[in-house]
Every structure is written in C-alpha cells, then in structure tokens.
Amino acid sequence: MSYRPYQQITRRKSRQIRVGKVLVGGDAPITVQTMTNTPTEDAQATIAQIRRAELAGADIVRVSVPTPESTAALHEIVREVNVPIVADIHFHYRRAIEAAQAGAACLRINPGNIGSKERVKEVVKAARDHGCSIRIGVNAGSLEKHLLEKYGEPNPEALVESALWHAAHLQDEDFHEFKISVKASDVFLAVAAYQQLAEACDHPLHIGITEAGGKRTGTVKSAIGLGNLLWSGIGDTLRVSLSAEPEEEVHVGWEMLKSLGLRHRGVKIISCPSCARQGFDVIRTVATLEDRLAHIETPLTLSIIGCVVNGPGEALMTDIGLTGGGAGRHMVYAAGKTDHTIDEAAMVDHLVELVEKKAAAIEAEEAARKAAAATAQAAE
C-alpha cells in the first residue's frame, strides 16, 4: 500500500463474484487475463499456451469455444491447467451449456444474442448448476440493431444501455454472479462507456480496449485507456488485447498494475533511457536483465542508471541499484546506500545473483511471518 497521499487510488466499490478459485470485484486484487489463439480443438497446443500465460502471471485465461469439438476439448484443457478458464461464446447457447458441463469457470456471453428467454434460462441454469459465473461482453463493433437505430452509431450511452439490458436478462433469472465489459477500439468511447457504467451499477467490471493493435501500438493505446480507468479506481479485472502472443498481454497488464501500485509481482526495473554520459550499455543491460529475471515472482525494485546524475537518487528508492562509473567499474547500491563496486564484465551475473538472494530472503521472511501468525492463531 502506498504511503504518499498523491499515490493513493480509491477503487470503485463493486460486488464480488468468483471465477473458479479467483475472486473478482470487492476488495480482491485486480486480476490480469489473456486469451488463447490456438484452435481450442487442439487441446495440447491450447494447454501449452495457457501454461506459458500462467508462467507470465495470468490469473484467468479465456478460450473460444465456437464448435462442439472445442467444448469437448475443454474437459481436458480445464483438467490440465491451474488457472480458471473462461469459455467465450457468442451465439450458440448449447456451447455455453456444454462449456459449463466441461468445467469452465466463467461463460462470456451476450444474453441478448443467445436467443429466446427460454434459452437464456437454460444457460443460467447450467451456470448455476456447475458453479460458473458469467461475463456480459458488450462490444462497440457488435451492438444490437435496435440500439444502433436509436443512437445512430456506437456511443457510450448505447454501450451502457446494452450492458444493462443484458444484465436484466440475468437478474430476471435471479442470477447475480456476473461481471460486465463495454469494450471499444476507440479509447475515448471505451473510457467514457466504462465511466458511465461505473456510475450506473455496482457490478464488477472487466476492462479493456478491444482490438488495440500490435505489440507497440496496442500497448500504448491500452495504457492510455486502461491507465485512465485504473487511476480513477475503475476496473476489477483486465485484458490487454494485442496482436501478439498471450503472455505479452499478461506482461503488459502486470506492468500497468505495477506502475500504479495496484499490484506487485516480480522485479520492477527503473532504468534511464541512456545518453552520452552512460558508463555502460544501458539498453542492452536492461534487456538482458529483464530476460534473466523473468522467473522472479517476489516483488522488488532494481534501478539501472547509466551515470551519477540520477543514479544515486533513484537508488535511494530501490532495493538494489546500479550506477555507471568510470574505468569500467560501477557502483552497486543496497537498500538505497552505496555498498560496493563491480567490474562491467561481471555486472549482469552479479546483479542477477543479488536479486535472487534478495527475493529468497523476502520469501523466507514472509514464510516465517505466516508461520508465526499460524502459531499464534492456534494458541488462541
């Protein structure tokens, strides 16, 4: 939790639901999602992709199930992975029922697209019987005809009306285990729709900028839109939609949350853009460290600064720091204080070792704290 007033973010109060073992909404941590792009019928390829997303830190993974073959494969997929699986359904209500039976933790649907009220009732019954939650997924690119006729184009009011109209379908069946998204590829439209929806209801919100683009453009676009929402306290779970591998979406989602102090996982590297003053190749060093420290899950901070202009100041606020010096030797900081120097040739290996040791020490302290708390509780 932040201790500086200007870093405080007050999250919108929302109801809490469960997506498998993961809580969404209320005071639960904001979760990071992604979606597979393998043919779901190919269970082994899909499982392998989900496992890579798990290693990257995904809390929830969505898979598309448009065919009976894909829902049949879902049995094996759910059994072989550790994260809750959301089944993505658009029109075929039977796929939703099959997915619930196969063990999906959540069904992503548009109740209005499922068909008759009787079909919606069947899907809700399947969700209830099998412990599934539901995500109402509204998209500016597939708004209902009556809303396009009413508003003339996709706009925030149309997206919100669609979302609440779909929500009413579920509430009519006394089903309340659902979250809502109102995505658009236009950042202004998406943000305005989420802001209006956040005011109109207390349902948990899944936030995202849909079809954001490739790795670079999509990251920038998503950071602007989702950063705006998260900073104002809106959002209980998120997906960064990139034309890139699912694990890249997870990495970007985590970086957003870490930047705003909303969640902490792994090594947060603070590094300079480099300039002619740098005492070593900052860009290459940071890229190497990002790769070699990707396995660390324990939250800690590492500053990599090329010269003494900002290096000491940044090191004051990080667990471990490195500042470029002269003659191929650079200063290493521990807990904000100068500690020792290191030759450039050994620098990267040395920093990796320091970070791994620091992470192990933090984990040991946390384990000891939990053991002490458990002992104290048992003694009461």
mmCIF file with all atom_site columns, all heavy atoms in Angstrom, residues 49-67:
data_model
loop_
_atom_site.group_PDB
_atom_site.id
_atom_site.type_symbol
_atom_site.label_atom_id
_atom_site.label_alt_id
_atom_site.label_comp_id
_atom_site.label_asym_id
_atom_site.label_entity_id
_atom_site.label_seq_id
_atom_site.pdbx_PDB_ins_code
_atom_site.Cartn_x
_atom_site.Cartn_y
_atom_site.Cartn_z
_atom_site.occupancy
_atom_site.B_iso_or_equiv
_atom_site.pdbx_formal_charge
_atom_site.auth_seq_id
_atom_site.auth_comp_id
_atom_site.auth_asym_id
_atom_site.auth_atom_id
_atom_site.pdbx_PDB_model_num
ATOM 1   N N   . GLN A 1 49 ? -0.096  -23.223 -24.473 1.00 0.00 ? 49 GLN A N   1
ATOM 2   C CA  . GLN A 1 49 ? -0.165  -21.761 -24.497 1.00 0.00 ? 49 GLN A CA  1
ATOM 3   C C   . GLN A 1 49 ? -0.665  -21.213 -23.169 1.00 0.00 ? 49 GLN A C   1
ATOM 4   O O   . GLN A 1 49 ? -0.165  -20.199 -22.674 1.00 0.00 ? 49 GLN A O   1
ATOM 5   C CB  . GLN A 1 49 ? -1.074  -21.309 -25.639 1.00 0.00 ? 49 GLN A CB  1
ATOM 6   C CG  . GLN A 1 49 ? -0.960  -19.830 -25.944 1.00 0.00 ? 49 GLN A CG  1
ATOM 7   C CD  . GLN A 1 49 ? -1.677  -19.447 -27.222 1.00 0.00 ? 49 GLN A CD  1
ATOM 8   O OE1 . GLN A 1 49 ? -2.903  -19.442 -27.263 1.00 0.00 ? 49 GLN A OE1 1
ATOM 9   N NE2 . GLN A 1 49 ? -0.914  -19.124 -28.263 1.00 0.00 ? 49 GLN A NE2 1
ATOM 10  N N   . ILE A 1 50 ? -1.628  -21.891 -22.561 1.00 0.00 ? 50 ILE A N   1
ATOM 11  C CA  . ILE A 1 50 ? -2.135  -21.455 -21.257 1.00 0.00 ? 50 ILE A CA  1
ATOM 12  C C   . ILE A 1 50 ? -1.039  -21.546 -20.204 1.00 0.00 ? 50 ILE A C   1
ATOM 13  O O   . ILE A 1 50 ? -0.898  -20.659 -19.350 1.00 0.00 ? 50 ILE A O   1
ATOM 14  C CB  . ILE A 1 50 ? -3.365  -22.289 -20.839 1.00 0.00 ? 50 ILE A CB  1
ATOM 15  C CG1 . ILE A 1 50 ? -4.550  -21.985 -21.772 1.00 0.00 ? 50 ILE A CG1 1
ATOM 16  C CG2 . ILE A 1 50 ? -3.755  -21.992 -19.386 1.00 0.00 ? 50 ILE A CG2 1
ATOM 17  C CD1 . ILE A 1 50 ? -5.737  -22.912 -21.581 1.00 0.00 ? 50 ILE A CD1 1
ATOM 18  N N   . ARG A 1 51 ? -0.244  -22.603 -20.261 1.00 0.00 ? 51 ARG A N   1
ATOM 19  C CA  . ARG A 1 51 ? 0.846   -22.748 -19.281 1.00 0.00 ? 51 ARG A CA  1
ATOM 20  C C   . ARG A 1 51 ? 1.868   -21.629 -19.413 1.00 0.00 ? 51 ARG A C   1
ATOM 21  O O   . ARG A 1 51 ? 2.411   -21.147 -18.405 1.00 0.00 ? 51 ARG A O   1
ATOM 22  C CB  . ARG A 1 51 ? 1.497   -24.116 -19.440 1.00 0.00 ? 51 ARG A CB  1
ATOM 23  C CG  . ARG A 1 51 ? 0.629   -25.249 -18.888 1.00 0.00 ? 51 ARG A CG  1
ATOM 24  C CD  . ARG A 1 51 ? 1.239   -26.600 -19.130 1.00 0.00 ? 51 ARG A CD  1
ATOM 25  N NE  . ARG A 1 51 ? 0.428   -27.651 -18.522 1.00 0.00 ? 51 ARG A NE  1
ATOM 26  C CZ  . ARG A 1 51 ? 0.561   -28.950 -18.795 1.00 0.00 ? 51 ARG A CZ  1
ATOM 27  N NH1 . ARG A 1 51 ? 1.467   -29.355 -19.673 1.00 0.00 ? 51 ARG A NH1 1
ATOM 28  N NH2 . ARG A 1 51 ? -0.208  -29.846 -18.197 1.00 0.00 ? 51 ARG A NH2 1
ATOM 29  N N   . ARG A 1 52 ? 2.132   -21.191 -20.639 1.00 0.00 ? 52 ARG A N   1
ATOM 30  C CA  . ARG A 1 52 ? 3.051   -20.052 -20.812 1.00 0.00 ? 52 ARG A CA  1
ATOM 31  C C   . ARG A 1 52 ? 2.438   -18.785 -20.221 1.00 0.00 ? 52 ARG A C   1
ATOM 32  O O   . ARG A 1 52 ? 3.141   -17.966 -19.618 1.00 0.00 ? 52 ARG A O   1
ATOM 33  C CB  . ARG A 1 52 ? 3.370   -19.859 -22.298 1.00 0.00 ? 52 ARG A CB  1
ATOM 34  C CG  . ARG A 1 52 ? 4.233   -20.962 -22.888 1.00 0.00 ? 52 ARG A CG  1
ATOM 35  C CD  . ARG A 1 52 ? 4.839   -20.555 -24.216 1.00 0.00 ? 52 ARG A CD  1
ATOM 36  N NE  . ARG A 1 52 ? 3.842   -20.316 -25.246 1.00 0.00 ? 52 ARG A NE  1
ATOM 37  C CZ  . ARG A 1 52 ? 3.330   -21.268 -26.031 1.00 0.00 ? 52 ARG A CZ  1
ATOM 38  N NH1 . ARG A 1 52 ? 3.727   -22.531 -25.901 1.00 0.00 ? 52 ARG A NH1 1
ATOM 39  N NH2 . ARG A 1 52 ? 2.442   -20.957 -26.965 1.00 0.00 ? 52 ARG A NH2 1
ATOM 40  N N   . ALA A 1 53 ? 1.138   -18.639 -20.386 1.00 0.00 ? 53 ALA A N   1
ATOM 41  C CA  . ALA A 1 53 ? 0.449   -17.482 -19.807 1.00 0.00 ? 53 ALA A CA  1
ATOM 42  C C   . ALA A 1 53 ? 0.474   -17.543 -18.280 1.00 0.00 ? 53 ALA A C   1
ATOM 43  O O   . ALA A 1 53 ? 0.631   -16.518 -17.607 1.00 0.00 ? 53 ALA A O   1
ATOM 44  C CB  . ALA A 1 53 ? -0.987  -17.404 -20.312 1.00 0.00 ? 53 ALA A CB  1
ATOM 45  N N   . GLU A 1 54 ? 0.345   -18.748 -17.738 1.00 0.00 ? 54 GLU A N   1
ATOM 46  C CA  . GLU A 1 54 ? 0.428   -18.920 -16.282 1.00 0.00 ? 54 GLU A CA  1
ATOM 47  C C   . GLU A 1 54 ? 1.797   -18.473 -15.758 1.00 0.00 ? 54 GLU A C   1
ATOM 48  O O   . GLU A 1 54 ? 1.889   -17.768 -14.753 1.00 0.00 ? 54 GLU A O   1
ATOM 49  C CB  . GLU A 1 54 ? 0.205   -20.385 -15.911 1.00 0.00 ? 54 GLU A CB  1
ATOM 50  C CG  . GLU A 1 54 ? -1.222  -20.873 -16.091 1.00 0.00 ? 54 GLU A CG  1
ATOM 51  C CD  . GLU A 1 54 ? -1.361  -22.362 -15.813 1.00 0.00 ? 54 GLU A CD  1
ATOM 52  O OE1 . GLU A 1 54 ? -0.325  -23.057 -15.685 1.00 0.00 ? 54 GLU A OE1 1
ATOM 53  O OE2 . GLU A 1 54 ? -2.508  -22.835 -15.724 1.00 0.00 ? 54 GLU A OE2 1
ATOM 54  N N   . LEU A 1 55 ? 2.853   -18.893 -16.449 1.00 0.00 ? 55 LEU A N   1
ATOM 55  C CA  . LEU A 1 55 ? 4.200   -18.517 -16.039 1.00 0.00 ? 55 LEU A CA  1
ATOM 56  C C   . LEU A 1 55 ? 4.403   -17.004 -16.090 1.00 0.00 ? 55 LEU A C   1
ATOM 57  O O   . LEU A 1 55 ? 5.139   -16.436 -15.289 1.00 0.00 ? 55 LEU A O   1
ATOM 58  C CB  . LEU A 1 55 ? 5.241   -19.212 -16.925 1.00 0.00 ? 55 LEU A CB  1
ATOM 59  C CG  . LEU A 1 55 ? 5.414   -20.716 -16.707 1.00 0.00 ? 55 LEU A CG  1
ATOM 60  C CD1 . LEU A 1 55 ? 6.353   -21.300 -17.758 1.00 0.00 ? 55 LEU A CD1 1
ATOM 61  C CD2 . LEU A 1 55 ? 5.948   -21.009 -15.307 1.00 0.00 ? 55 LEU A CD2 1
ATOM 62  N N   . ALA A 1 56 ? 3.728   -16.364 -17.037 1.00 0.00 ? 56 ALA A N   1
ATOM 63  C CA  . ALA A 1 56 ? 3.828   -14.902 -17.154 1.00 0.00 ? 56 ALA A CA  1
ATOM 64  C C   . ALA A 1 56 ? 3.044   -14.187 -16.063 1.00 0.00 ? 56 ALA A C   1
ATOM 65  O O   . ALA A 1 56 ? 3.225   -12.994 -15.850 1.00 0.00 ? 56 ALA A O   1
ATOM 66  C CB  . ALA A 1 56 ? 3.336   -14.454 -18.528 1.00 0.00 ? 56 ALA A CB  1
ATOM 67  N N   . GLY A 1 57 ? 2.142   -14.921 -15.372 1.00 0.00 ? 57 GLY A N   1
ATOM 68  C CA  . GLY A 1 57 ? 1.390   -14.325 -14.276 1.00 0.00 ? 57 GLY A CA  1
ATOM 69  C C   . GLY A 1 57 ? -0.096  -14.173 -14.519 1.00 0.00 ? 57 GLY A C   1
ATOM 70  O O   . GLY A 1 57 ? -0.776  -13.466 -13.765 1.00 0.00 ? 57 GLY A O   1
ATOM 71  N N   . ALA A 1 58 ? -0.643  -14.836 -15.547 1.00 0.00 ? 58 ALA A N   1
ATOM 72  C CA  . ALA A 1 58 ? -2.076  -14.727 -15.821 1.00 0.00 ? 58 ALA A CA  1
ATOM 73  C C   . ALA A 1 58 ? -2.882  -15.297 -14.658 1.00 0.00 ? 58 ALA A C   1
ATOM 74  O O   . ALA A 1 58 ? -2.572  -16.369 -14.135 1.00 0.00 ? 58 ALA A O   1
ATOM 75  C CB  . ALA A 1 58 ? -2.435  -15.475 -17.106 1.00 0.00 ? 58 ALA A CB  1
ATOM 76  N N   . ASP A 1 59 ? -3.919  -14.581 -14.258 1.00 0.00 ? 59 ASP A N   1
ATOM 77  C CA  . ASP A 1 59 ? -4.827  -15.053 -13.209 1.00 0.00 ? 59 ASP A CA  1
ATOM 78  C C   . ASP A 1 59 ? -5.978  -15.861 -13.794 1.00 0.00 ? 59 ASP A C   1
ATOM 79  O O   . ASP A 1 59 ? -6.499  -16.777 -13.149 1.00 0.00 ? 59 ASP A O   1
ATOM 80  C CB  . ASP A 1 59 ? -5.415  -13.862 -12.444 1.00 0.00 ? 59 ASP A CB  1
ATOM 81  C CG  . ASP A 1 59 ? -4.356  -13.041 -11.742 1.00 0.00 ? 59 ASP A CG  1
ATOM 82  O OD1 . ASP A 1 59 ? -3.665  -13.595 -10.870 1.00 0.00 ? 59 ASP A OD1 1
ATOM 83  O OD2 . ASP A 1 59 ? -4.221  -11.849 -12.065 1.00 0.00 ? 59 ASP A OD2 1
ATOM 84  N N   . ILE A 1 60 ? -6.392  -15.487 -15.010 1.00 0.00 ? 60 ILE A N   1
ATOM 85  C CA  . ILE A 1 60 ? -7.549  -16.086 -15.682 1.00 0.00 ? 60 ILE A CA  1
ATOM 86  C C   . ILE A 1 60 ? -7.223  -16.143 -17.169 1.00 0.00 ? 60 ILE A C   1
ATOM 87  O O   . ILE A 1 60 ? -6.589  -15.223 -17.696 1.00 0.00 ? 60 ILE A O   1
ATOM 88  C CB  . ILE A 1 60 ? -8.824  -15.227 -15.465 1.00 0.00 ? 60 ILE A CB  1
ATOM 89  C CG1 . ILE A 1 60 ? -9.171  -15.119 -13.970 1.00 0.00 ? 60 ILE A CG1 1
ATOM 90  C CG2 . ILE A 1 60 ? -10.011 -15.783 -16.244 1.00 0.00 ? 60 ILE A CG2 1
ATOM 91  C CD1 . ILE A 1 60 ? -10.229 -14.071 -13.654 1.00 0.00 ? 60 ILE A CD1 1
ATOM 92  N N   . VAL A 1 61 ? -7.647  -17.204 -17.860 1.00 0.00 ? 61 VAL A N   1
ATOM 93  C CA  . VAL A 1 61 ? -7.424  -17.306 -19.300 1.00 0.00 ? 61 VAL A CA  1
ATOM 94  C C   . VAL A 1 61 ? -8.748  -17.643 -19.989 1.00 0.00 ? 61 VAL A C   1
ATOM 95  O O   . VAL A 1 61 ? -9.500  -18.500 -19.533 1.00 0.00 ? 61 VAL A O   1
ATOM 96  C CB  . VAL A 1 61 ? -6.367  -18.386 -19.638 1.00 0.00 ? 61 VAL A CB  1
ATOM 97  C CG1 . VAL A 1 61 ? -6.242  -18.553 -21.147 1.00 0.00 ? 61 VAL A CG1 1
ATOM 98  C CG2 . VAL A 1 61 ? -5.015  -18.003 -19.044 1.00 0.00 ? 61 VAL A CG2 1
ATOM 99  N N   . ARG A 1 62 ? -8.990  -16.961 -21.108 1.00 0.00 ? 62 ARG A N   1
ATOM 100 C CA  . ARG A 1 62 ? -10.216 -17.190 -21.891 1.00 0.00 ? 62 ARG A CA  1
ATOM 101 C C   . ARG A 1 62 ? -9.893  -17.980 -23.144 1.00 0.00 ? 62 ARG A C   1
ATOM 102 O O   . ARG A 1 62 ? -8.864  -17.762 -23.785 1.00 0.00 ? 62 ARG A O   1
ATOM 103 C CB  . ARG A 1 62 ? -10.836 -15.835 -22.251 1.00 0.00 ? 62 ARG A CB  1
ATOM 104 C CG  . ARG A 1 62 ? -12.112 -15.937 -23.088 1.00 0.00 ? 62 ARG A CG  1
ATOM 105 C CD  . ARG A 1 62 ? -12.948 -14.664 -22.992 1.00 0.00 ? 62 ARG A CD  1
ATOM 106 N NE  . ARG A 1 62 ? -12.197 -13.434 -23.159 1.00 0.00 ? 62 ARG A NE  1
ATOM 107 C CZ  . ARG A 1 62 ? -12.357 -12.602 -24.190 1.00 0.00 ? 62 ARG A CZ  1
ATOM 108 N NH1 . ARG A 1 62 ? -13.227 -12.878 -25.162 1.00 0.00 ? 62 ARG A NH1 1
ATOM 109 N NH2 . ARG A 1 62 ? -11.662 -11.485 -24.255 1.00 0.00 ? 62 ARG A NH2 1
ATOM 110 N N   . VAL A 1 63 ? -10.773 -18.908 -23.498 1.00 0.00 ? 63 VAL A N   1
ATOM 111 C CA  . VAL A 1 63 ? -10.631 -19.673 -24.731 1.00 0.00 ? 63 VAL A CA  1
ATOM 112 C C   . VAL A 1 63 ? -11.940 -19.594 -25.510 1.00 0.00 ? 63 VAL A C   1
ATOM 113 O O   . VAL A 1 63 ? -13.023 -19.552 -24.930 1.00 0.00 ? 63 VAL A O   1
ATOM 114 C CB  . VAL A 1 63 ? -10.258 -21.148 -24.480 1.00 0.00 ? 63 VAL A CB  1
ATOM 115 C CG1 . VAL A 1 63 ? -8.971  -21.265 -23.686 1.00 0.00 ? 63 VAL A CG1 1
ATOM 116 C CG2 . VAL A 1 63 ? -11.383 -21.883 -23.755 1.00 0.00 ? 63 VAL A CG2 1
ATOM 117 N N   . SER A 1 64 ? -11.835 -19.564 -26.809 1.00 0.00 ? 64 SER A N   1
ATOM 118 C CA  . SER A 1 64 ? -13.018 -19.510 -27.669 1.00 0.00 ? 64 SER A CA  1
ATOM 119 C C   . SER A 1 64 ? -13.542 -20.921 -27.900 1.00 0.00 ? 64 SER A C   1
ATOM 120 O O   . SER A 1 64 ? -12.775 -21.843 -28.172 1.00 0.00 ? 64 SER A O   1
ATOM 121 C CB  . SER A 1 64 ? -12.660 -18.857 -29.010 1.00 0.00 ? 64 SER A CB  1
ATOM 122 O OG  . SER A 1 64 ? -13.795 -18.761 -29.822 1.00 0.00 ? 64 SER A OG  1
ATOM 123 N N   . VAL A 1 65 ? -14.864 -21.098 -27.781 1.00 0.00 ? 65 VAL A N   1
ATOM 124 C CA  . VAL A 1 65 ? -15.469 -22.418 -27.987 1.00 0.00 ? 65 VAL A CA  1
ATOM 125 C C   . VAL A 1 65 ? -16.651 -22.316 -28.958 1.00 0.00 ? 65 VAL A C   1
ATOM 126 O O   . VAL A 1 65 ? -17.813 -22.432 -28.570 1.00 0.00 ? 65 VAL A O   1
ATOM 127 C CB  . VAL A 1 65 ? -15.910 -23.055 -26.647 1.00 0.00 ? 65 VAL A CB  1
ATOM 128 C CG1 . VAL A 1 65 ? -14.708 -23.551 -25.870 1.00 0.00 ? 65 VAL A CG1 1
ATOM 129 C CG2 . VAL A 1 65 ? -16.693 -22.071 -25.783 1.00 0.00 ? 65 VAL A CG2 1
ATOM 130 N N   . PRO A 1 66 ? -16.362 -22.157 -30.249 1.00 0.00 ? 66 PRO A N   1
ATOM 131 C CA  . PRO A 1 66 ? -17.438 -21.966 -31.221 1.00 0.00 ? 66 PRO A CA  1
ATOM 132 C C   . PRO A 1 66 ? -18.050 -23.261 -31.743 1.00 0.00 ? 66 PRO A C   1
ATOM 133 O O   . PRO A 1 66 ? -19.079 -23.227 -32.414 1.00 0.00 ? 66 PRO A O   1
ATOM 134 C CB  . PRO A 1 66 ? -16.737 -21.214 -32.358 1.00 0.00 ? 66 PRO A CB  1
ATOM 135 C CG  . PRO A 1 66 ? -15.325 -21.713 -32.291 1.00 0.00 ? 66 PRO A CG  1
ATOM 136 C CD  . PRO A 1 66 ? -15.033 -21.950 -30.842 1.00 0.00 ? 66 PRO A CD  1
ATOM 137 N N   . THR A 1 67 ? -17.439 -24.420 -31.456 1.00 0.00 ? 67 THR A N   1
ATOM 138 C CA  . THR A 1 67 ? -17.883 -25.692 -32.031 1.00 0.00 ? 67 THR A CA  1
ATOM 139 C C   . THR A 1 67 ? -18.042 -26.754 -30.951 1.00 0.00 ? 67 THR A C   1
ATOM 140 O O   . THR A 1 67 ? -17.436 -26.656 -29.874 1.00 0.00 ? 67 THR A O   1
ATOM 141 C CB  . THR A 1 67 ? -16.867 -26.207 -33.059 1.00 0.00 ? 67 THR A CB  1
ATOM 142 O OG1 . THR A 1 67 ? -15.629 -26.504 -32.371 1.00 0.00 ? 67 THR A OG1 1
ATOM 143 C CG2 . THR A 1 67 ? -16.609 -25.177 -34.147 1.00 0.00 ? 67 THR A CG2 1
#
